[in-house]
Amino acid sequence: MTDIIIGIDLGTTNSEVAVIRDGRPQLLEVDGSHILPSVVGLADDGTLLVGQAARNQYVLYPERSIRSVKRRMGEDVTLPMGDTSYSPQEISALILKRLKRAAEEQLGESVGKAVITVPAYFSDAQRQATRDAGELAGLEVVRIINEPTAAALAYEVDATEPRTILVYDLGGGTFDCSVVRAGGDVTEVLASHGNNHLGGDDFDAKLIEHVVNYLKTEHDCDPSAERRAMARITRACETAKIALSDAPYARIEEEYLLPDRDPPINLSLEISRIDYEAMIEGYIDETLEAVHTALKGAELTVADIDEVVLVGGATRTPLIQERLEETLGMQPRAEIDPDLCVAAGAAIQAAVMAGETTHSVLVDITPYTFGTSAVGEMGGMFYPHCFIPLIRKNSPIPITKSKGFTTMVDGQDAVDIHIYQGEDPDALNNTEIGEFKVEGLSDVPAGNVIVMRFELDLDGILKVTATEKRTGLEKHIAIDNAMTRFESQGLDAAKQRLAALIDDEPAEGASAADAETEEHRQQVKAKALLEKAERLLASASAEDKEDLIDLIEAVRDTLAADDQDGLERSVAALSDLIYYLES
Ligand code: AMP
């Protein structure tokens, strides 16, 4: 039997361990989680703490806690913890030891070998320090591999053709962007660029600054010097930041934040995603510049990139995904948990070295994009049916995403909600899979916020909820088989679209039922044609516009009057005009 080799992602903020089981990478649990915070500390009584417990005490007892030790690897320094000082290798070894023990507990056998990942920019000294840490932990480090290489391996393990992959890795405290050539026999990093001091912690810092300023102006108090209060604010801000990745608003609430004040200060502050995004935009710009620098370093252009792969917890920030898609013209891949894919890649490398066969990471994803429609801008014009995706294709499921929308007119008392599946920016070109109306909205000026929430579960049930933010008035629907119904619905929609183009006569001798279906078909076709005609209005010449408006009205009148013959005639005339305008 071959020795087990574990794969370890020894991160600045968090670390993970994985192995290959039944040919597939599997993350192992440490203290009930797949993620072990890379923090080491000593408790009150001198007991060693590694992971979450050490992280929890860090803000209160920094003198007996150490975090971000990875930043010090390769340096000739000692780091104080309690009464003793330790080398960075020794502290890293404590983290590795915890991972090794967790692996042994779960695998039921001793583990002596590991593949450990390091950033592509790590120097020889830093790599050697990592090996030494492994040895101190009782692990033979059979290979050190670059983190972006590991991420590429996790995604491309089955690929036979070489592919060029951009790995965008934004963790808690570091950012790296690498261009990797993967597949075939060799996987190599062509170029790498980044910032060793940029990450999700900086996003937290922006929110913390915002909260402190709020307390200064609204409550006339400055908590900056109060450790306990700042620790609570820091934790609450990170929680709010994570919530804002899936929801348009988050509330930071800390009761008795400053209990000694008279009266005691309770913090309650709402942050919108839009305001938060404005705070972090500068950081994201910086990462995008680094993407271009890395591409330049590899002597490639955006057009040479086959895939963009997201790594690191902070890449769950929707603005990052949007900006990358905008810049690179492709949807970044995030189906493998961005916290875990480096460890999964390390496990794949470990298995390859042990001579085992491996397959790609299997995750449940939605193959379709789901969203709603709203008035927006398309081609420089206002258009009422812009598609607004909420759940993007290839997202791991189950998943919940929400987004805020606003009413268009003063006193608007209802909104019609349409739910679509598809990719087209024009919602009408996608498949409508559900529809409902929210009535009884407050009588307030335009801008009343309606929060839409999409929840897609493992059974493919999509629950869509619309909530009036100011009152909590809510309405929802559940769409069964949201993922499988598309096949037939998509066909129906395609048929309808074709029907609108081809003016075929019903077959002779059609039955009453057929006639009824035919009538329905004509109506669907007429409505599709109307939508199309309305869109063409914007670009039509004055003369054509007049003809279009006449025919649109004719179709509308015959539809309203349920005049089947008249409808057929007016639809044919409108069809002809559209054909003429489009050709
Ligand atoms: P890593 O070092 O890769 O574990 O990334 C940790 C960073 O990702 C921390 O700053 C986390 O707060 C951040 N993070 C984790 N989950 C999310 C999320 N859903 N949205 C935004 N940031 C997140």
Side-chain angles (χ1 to χ4, degrees):
M1 200 177 101
T2 52
D3 280 350
I4 286 189
I5 309 177
I6 53 176
I8 292 179
D9 171 6
L10 183 61
T12 309
T13 319
N14 296 307
S15 298
E16 294 85 24
V17 56
V19 287
I20 298 293
R21 269 186 182 165
D22 302 327
R24 297 196 187 278
Q26 188 177 16
L27 270 300
L28 300 177
E29 285 197 359
V30 196
D31 302 331
S33 161
H34 287 144
I35 292 175
L36 177 76
S38 305
V39 189
V40 174
L42 294 175
D44 277 344
D45 60 359
T47 319
L48 176 70
L49 304 173
V50 180
Q52 193 57 47
R55 184 183 184 216
N56 290 346
Q57 74 155 24
Y58 180 85
V59 192
L60 296 176
Y61 307 109
E63 66 285 354
R64 46 182 161 91
S65 317
I66 296 179
R67 65 174 190 180
S68 302
V69 65
K70 186 172 176 178
R71 292 191 196 283
R72 313 306 299 271
M73 290 294 271
E75 287 180 29
D76 189 13
V77 289
T78 56
L79 310 167
M81 182 169 69
D83 300 332
T84 319
S85 287
Y86 302 85
S87 69
Q89 291 90 313
E90 287 170 312
I91 299 299
S92 290
L94 294 171
I95 300 168
L96 291 172
K97 235 187 167 121
R98 183 73 197 89
L99 296 171
K100 170 175 148 56
R101 205 178 75 217
E104 287 172 338
E105 281 163 8
Q106 275 163 83
L107 299 171
E109 57 187 291
S110 74
V111 170
K113 293 182 180 176
V115 168
I116 302 182
T117 59
V118 295
Y121 61 78
F122 251 30
S123 65
D124 281 348
Q126 290 169 305
R127 286 166 198 259
Q128 188 53 46
T130 307
R131 277 185 190 282
D132 294 345
E135 197 172 313
L136 288 171
L139 285 168
E140 180 195 340
V141 182
V142 291
R143 177 80 57 93
I144 295 267
I145 64 166
N146 290 322
E147 288 159 10
T149 308
L153 273 176
Y155 273 96
E156 294 299 318
V157 69
D158 292 336
T160 44
E161 289 295 305
R163 295 174 72 70
T164 306
I165 301 168
L166 185 95
V167 180
Y168 179 103
D169 179 352
L170 189 66
T174 57
F175 167 66
D176 290 299
C177 166
S178 310
V179 182
V180 180
R181 192 84 184 132
D185 292 337
V186 218
T187 298
E188 57 173 340
V189 179
L190 302 181
S192 199
H193 193 72
N195 181 341
N196 223 344
H197 290 276
L198 172 64
D201 297 351
D202 296 293
F203 297 3
D204 297 344
K206 285 282 182 192
L207 282 173
I208 295 166
E209 188 187 316
H210 179 74
V211 169
V212 169
N213 284 338
Y214 166 82
L215 286 168
K216 281 184 190 163
T217 49
E218 296 297 316
H219 293 275
D220 196 24
C221 79
D222 183 356
S224 313
E226 304 192 33
R227 253 194 203 179
R228 204 167 280 272
M230 286 307 287
R232 287 177 63 189
I233 293 175
T234 304
R235 205 163 311 149
C237 284
E238 188 187 6
T239 308
K241 170 190 78 173
I242 290 173
L244 286 171
S245 286
D246 298 325
Y249 299 92
R251 184 162 280 284
I252 299 182
E253 232 150 16
E254 289 291 317
E255 276 192 15
Y256 294 100
L257 178 69
L258 295 163
D260 332 333
R261 307 294 159 104
D262 189 20
I265 289 179
N266 297 317
L267 170 67
S268 178
L269 171 64
E270 186 181 77
I271 315 262
S272 73
R273 186 191 279 171
I274 291 176
D275 291 342
Y276 166 64
E277 287 178 342
M279 295 177 204
I280 59 165
E281 187 116 47
Y283 291 131
I284 297 178
D285 288 340
E286 205 182 305
T287 66
L288 294 176
E289 277 166 34
V291 166
H292 290 294
T293 310
L295 279 173
K296 226 178 185 173
E299 296 180 8
L300 295 175
T301 65
V302 167
D304 297 312
I305 298 295
D306 296 312
E307 304 262 18
V308 183
V309 161
L310 298 182
V311 179
T315 59
R316 295 200 186 91
T317 311
L319 185 63
I320 292 181
Q321 305 194 8
E322 282 161 29
R323 295 287 307 278
L324 274 172
E325 186 167 352
E326 220 172 83
T327 310
L328 302 170
M330 69 185 88
Q331 191 188 332
R333 292 185 65 179
E335 59 263 34
I336 306 179
D337 186 330
D339 282 318
L340 310 177
C341 77
V342 168
I348 290 169
Q349 177 68 46
V352 168
M353 296 186 70
E356 296 171 33
T357 40
T358 57
H359 308 287
S360 49
V361 185
L362 248 198
V363 278
D364 279 314
I365 53 163
T366 160
Y368 306 119
T369 296
F370 298 99
T372 186
S373 59
V375 178
E377 211 192 275
M378 195 183 284
M381 311 255 186
F382 274 113
Y383 180 60
H385 311 287
C386 290
F387 181 54
I388 315 288
L390 270 91
I391 294 179
R392 300 296 304 267
K393 75 164 188 245
N394 292 335
S395 304
I397 49 173
I399 185 171
T400 299
K401 289 279 170 190
S402 49
K403 194 172 173 73
F405 293 83
T406 49
T407 52
M408 289 286 292
V409 291
D410 294 348
Q412 185 172 334
D413 63 354
V415 280
D416 279 317
I417 311 243
H418 296 266
I419 300 139
Y420 296 93
Q421 173 281 313
E423 300 291 325
D424 201 291
D426 181 346
L428 300 181
N429 289 336
N430 294 327
T431 307
E432 184 166 345
I433 56 168
E435 174 190 11
F436 65 104
K437 194 177 187 118
V438 187
E439 288 169 301
L441 299 176
S442 313
D443 185 7
V444 290
N448 188 14
V449 176
I450 312 293
V451 175
M452 297 280 297
R453 191 171 77 240
F454 278 45
E455 296 170 77
L456 183 62
D457 71 12
L458 280 169
D459 298 323
I461 297 170
L462 177 68
K463 185 174 167 200
V464 178
T465 311
T467 311
E468 183 183 35
K469 183 164 175 277
R470 60 193 307 277
T471 60
L473 170 76
E474 183 189 293
K475 187 140 184 215
H476 67 259
I477 57 166
I479 301 164
D480 290 341
N481 308 321
M483 290 194 289
T484 45
R485 68 194 270 144
F486 169 62
E487 269 86 40
S488 60
Q489 290 251 343
L491 264 184
D492 287 349
K495 279 185 199 153
Q496 283 173 18
R497 280 196 294 275
L498 286 180
L501 289 174
I502 306 162
D503 201 10
D504 55 350
E505 293 292 319
E508 256 179 67
S511 67
D514 282 348
E516 217 169 80
T517 337
E518 176 55 24
E519 197 175 316
H520 177 70
R521 198 183 68 79
Q522 275 291 348
Q523 286 172 357
V524 170
K525 174 175 159 182
K527 284 180 190 158
L529 213 58
L530 279 175
E531 307 260 18
K532 197 166 187 182
E534 279 160 11
R535 258 177 284 152
L536 281 172
L537 272 178
S539 55
S541 69
E543 198 181 325
D544 293 337
K545 201 179 255 175
E546 229 171 77
D547 292 344
L548 262 176
I549 291 173
D550 287 348
L551 287 174
I552 286 173
E553 278 175 4
V555 174
R556 282 211 184 112
D557 291 347
T558 47
L559 255 181
D562 213 6
D563 166 7
Q564 203 53 29
D565 289 343
L567 183 64
E568 247 174 68
R569 274 195 305 278
S570 58
V571 161
L574 184 57
S575 251
D576 286 348
L577 179 60
I578 289 178
Y579 178 77
Y580 159 76
L581 289 177
E582 283 186 333
S583 54

